[in-house]
Amino acid sequence: MKVLVTGSNGFIGKNLCVTLETMEGMEVLRFDAGQSLDDLKDLCGEADFVFHLAGVNRPESVEEFQTCNLGLTETLLSILEEQKRLVPVMLSSSTQALLDNPYGQSKRQAEDRVLEWGRKNGVPVIAYRFPNVFGKWCRPNYNSVVATWCHAIARGEEIRIDDPNKTLNLVYIDHVV
């Protein structure tokens, strides 16, 4: 089986690819930032399943939430449809999709688009809303508050807790994979 992983060099993507590559009969097709849309088209033409993990959560401008999270999702689905590659798609989303902020809105819109595409084409699709994922290859001040806190504590720096009464739901990367 050929599995396309978008965002393959990201935190979740890297962990997923390492695991998939140990499975017999599994060929991992990787797509990440810096590759072209032609590369994505070529990879889509081979894929039997897509893990769509690519996106942004700390962009330079707020507009990037729409172009990267929703826009890339729409592009991916359009390519699959044009190529008549109606394969299952798993979208990584976030519990932030429940919130009314630019990141959450873009993730919720991407979820809606994937679910709509699946219904329209009779294709199984899944949108997973991950909570705070932590673990190996996680970047401090980017992917996880756990990595950020560990990084600060190891350097004798203070950690920041915005709301000490808030419950933080965590999941370890190997459990996600």
Side-chain angles (χ1 to χ4, degrees):
M1 173 180 242
K2 293 183 179 184
V3 176
L4 170 57
V5 179
T6 69
S8 59
N9 289 332
F11 168 49
I12 294 175
K14 184 175 181 178
N15 279 276
L16 177 62
C17 288
V18 166
T19 299
L20 289 174
E21 288 170 343
T22 67
M23 297 178 166
E24 190 174 323
M26 194 71 63
E27 182 179 343
V28 179
L29 309 171
R30 296 171 176 250
F31 180 79
D32 207 87
Q35 289 180 266
S36 71
L37 284 182
D38 285 337
D39 293 332
L40 182 58
K41 288 177 184 177
D42 291 344
L43 294 168
C44 285
E46 296 182 53
D48 300 310
F49 188 99
V50 177
F51 284 100
H52 181 40
L53 310 177
V56 296
N57 60 358
R58 303 272 191 279
E60 291 183 22
S61 71
V62 72
E63 293 79 23
E64 288 180 68
F65 285 129
Q66 288 296 314
T67 58
C68 294
N69 294 338
L70 177 59
L72 182 59
T73 299
E74 291 179 330
T75 298
L76 170 68
L77 298 175
S78 293
I79 291 169
L80 290 170
E81 196 165 328
E82 287 167 12
Q83 295 182 351
K84 300 192 182 352
R85 298 291 300 169
L86 303 178
V87 299
V89 174
M90 192 289 304
L91 170 73
S92 67
S93 189
S94 167
T95 54
Q96 290 284 313
L98 298 170
L99 303 178
D100 190 26
N101 60 47
Y103 175 63
Q105 291 168 359
S106 70
K107 295 306 270 186
R108 189 172 51 255
Q109 291 167 343
E111 288 176 11
D112 291 344
R113 182 66 183 98
V114 165
L115 296 172
E116 172 190 311
W117 182 84
R119 279 190 301 274
K120 173 184 165 193
N121 292 295
V123 179
V125 295
I126 299 170
Y128 280 116
R129 287 184 177 167
F130 297 125
N132 297 286
V133 184
F134 71 99
K136 60 191 180 299
W137 303 315
C138 193
R139 293 174 20 206
N141 301 306
Y142 187 80
N143 295 115
S144 165
V145 68
V146 173
T148 301
W149 287 344
C150 290
H151 181 81
I153 290 167
R155 286 159 181 70
E157 300 169 358
E158 283 190 45
I159 62 170
R160 189 180 103 206
I161 300 174
D162 294 331
D163 183 356
N165 296 315
K166 183 177 180 182
T167 300
L168 190 60
N169 295 312
L170 301 170
V171 62
Y172 184 61
I173 186 62
D174 287 351
H175 296 159
V176 169
V177 169

